[in-house]
């Protein structure tokens, strides 16, 4: 892709795509963008303004005013924001407003590893390498539960499992850019794979596709 390299890492919530994308970026020297943070930042702006998350145009207005500094807002990782992000992200208006931001980021040399839901299908259908990272829903819920507990939040496993299943359904069934594996994406199932093993597997594929020099030691 015009001298820049784009690696797309898509998958459902808590599958390990963020961890994998960060490691891939560190080992290739590419930049990293967690596209979920963009939707989370818009959700935070919508909540703050008291807008109706069902109103696509109102949400789009927030998306259009998004600035990079908004991605650094505290609390964006909260479960409440994640849930709202999944609602806000279902609007075509919002997705259209945010696709340019992601493409500009990815096309800035030397390129980027971008994780999300529709990076390999919609945002960068011509990405150099595409991964679809997934895991059994209970394994993902257990990870998310551990993460919340380690952050000092009181979390009930049943509630986490339910919230995650609802988010999976919303992200997969929405009409615009639903979560789905690109035909040419390589699946990495992390149910029984730790982060280091998943990264090695992905790096092997990157080396194979882009040449050994694409991976720094
Ligand atoms: O990856 P995450 O959990 O931080 O994402 C939060 C929500 O944002 C997710 O439920 C769906 C939405 N999202 C999206 O629709 N497209 C993306 N590329 C990334 C996230």
């Amino acid at each position: 892709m015009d001298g820049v390299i784009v690696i797309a890492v898509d998958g459902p919530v808590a599958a390990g795509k963020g961890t994998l994308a960060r490691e891939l970026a560190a080992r290739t020297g590419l930049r990293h963008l967690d596209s979920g943070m963009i939707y989370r930042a818009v959700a935070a702006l919508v909540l703050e303004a008291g807008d109706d998350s069902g109103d696509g145009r109102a949400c789009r207005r927030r998306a259009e005013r998004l600035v990079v500094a908004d991605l650094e807002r505290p609390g964006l990782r909260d479960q409440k924001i994640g849930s709202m992000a999944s609602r806000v992200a279902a609007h075509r208006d919002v997705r259209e407003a945010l696709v340019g931001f992601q493409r500009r980021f990815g096309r800035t040399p030397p390129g980027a590893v971008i994780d999300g839901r529709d990076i390999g299908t919609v945002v960068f259908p011509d990405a150099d390498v595409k991964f679809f990272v997934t895991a059994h829903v209970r394994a993902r819920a257990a990870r998310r539960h551990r993460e919340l507990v380690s952050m000092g939040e009181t979390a009930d496993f049943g509630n986490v499992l339910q919230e995650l299943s609802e988010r999976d359904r919303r992200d997969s069934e929405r009409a615009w850019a639903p979560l789905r594996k690109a035909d040419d994406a390589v699946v990495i199932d992390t149910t029984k794979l730790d982060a280091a093993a998943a990264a090695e597997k992905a790096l092997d594929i990157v080396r194979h596709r882009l040449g050994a020099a694409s991976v720094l030691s």
Side-chain angles (χ1 to χ4, degrees):
M1 222 193 299
D2 305 337
V4 302
I5 291 173
V6 173
I7 300 179
V9 183
D10 289 307
V13 59
K17 61 184 185 308
T19 308
L20 178 64
R22 265 191 303 278
E23 184 63 15
L24 284 177
R27 297 282 296 274
T28 56
L30 298 174
R31 296 151 75 233
H32 171 230
L33 176 65
D34 171 355
S35 65
M37 291 306 273
I38 302 174
Y39 292 91
R40 285 173 183 265
V42 174
L45 294 172
V46 166
L47 270 172
E48 202 173 272
D51 289 337
D52 173 7
S53 64
D55 181 345
R57 287 191 177 186
C59 294
R60 181 183 186 124
R61 278 196 292 279
R62 302 292 156 205
E64 282 169 345
R65 284 186 213 135
L66 188 78
V67 292
V68 176
D70 289 324
L71 306 184
E72 305 297 328
R73 285 168 161 253
L76 291 186
R77 294 260 172 224
D78 293 356
Q79 213 174 340
K80 182 178 168 203
I81 300 280
S83 200
M84 179 62 103
S86 162
R87 291 171 204 282
V88 162
H91 297 297
R92 180 187 185 179
D93 268 341
V94 170
R95 305 201 74 83
E96 281 177 355
L98 296 175
V99 86
F101 180 98
Q102 297 170 80
R103 287 186 179 148
R104 277 192 300 281
F105 189 98
R107 286 179 183 145
T108 302
V113 182
I114 308 183
D115 66 274
R117 302 292 190 288
D118 62 340
I119 308 304
T121 51
V122 174
V123 182
F124 283 103
D126 54 350
D128 298 274
V129 189
K130 299 179 187 177
F131 292 105
F132 191 81
V133 186
T134 189
H136 189 281
V137 68
R138 292 190 75 87
R140 293 190 282 119
R143 265 178 221 158
R144 182 43 51 95
H145 183 249
R146 268 199 306 276
E147 208 174 279
L148 291 170
V149 170
S150 75
M151 291 188 320
E153 289 192 34
T154 44
D156 171 71
F157 178 75
N159 287 345
V160 172
L161 180 62
Q162 186 184 350
E163 194 271 339
L164 198 135
S165 305
E166 279 168 17
R167 204 127 76 83
D168 276 356
R169 187 182 46 73
R170 226 179 359 247
D171 294 346
S172 307
E173 293 180 0
R174 67 179 177 225
W176 298 104
L179 168 67
R180 72 170 181 81
K181 183 184 102 54
D183 293 338
D184 50 350
V186 177
V187 175
I188 297 198
D189 186 329
T190 63
T191 308
K192 293 180 182 159
L193 219 55
D194 66 18
E200 276 321 310
K201 191 172 174 172
L203 282 161
D204 270 351
I205 291 159
V206 171
R207 273 188 206 100
H208 181 74
R209 297 272 179 91
L210 305 179
S214 62
V215 175
L216 314 167
S217 68

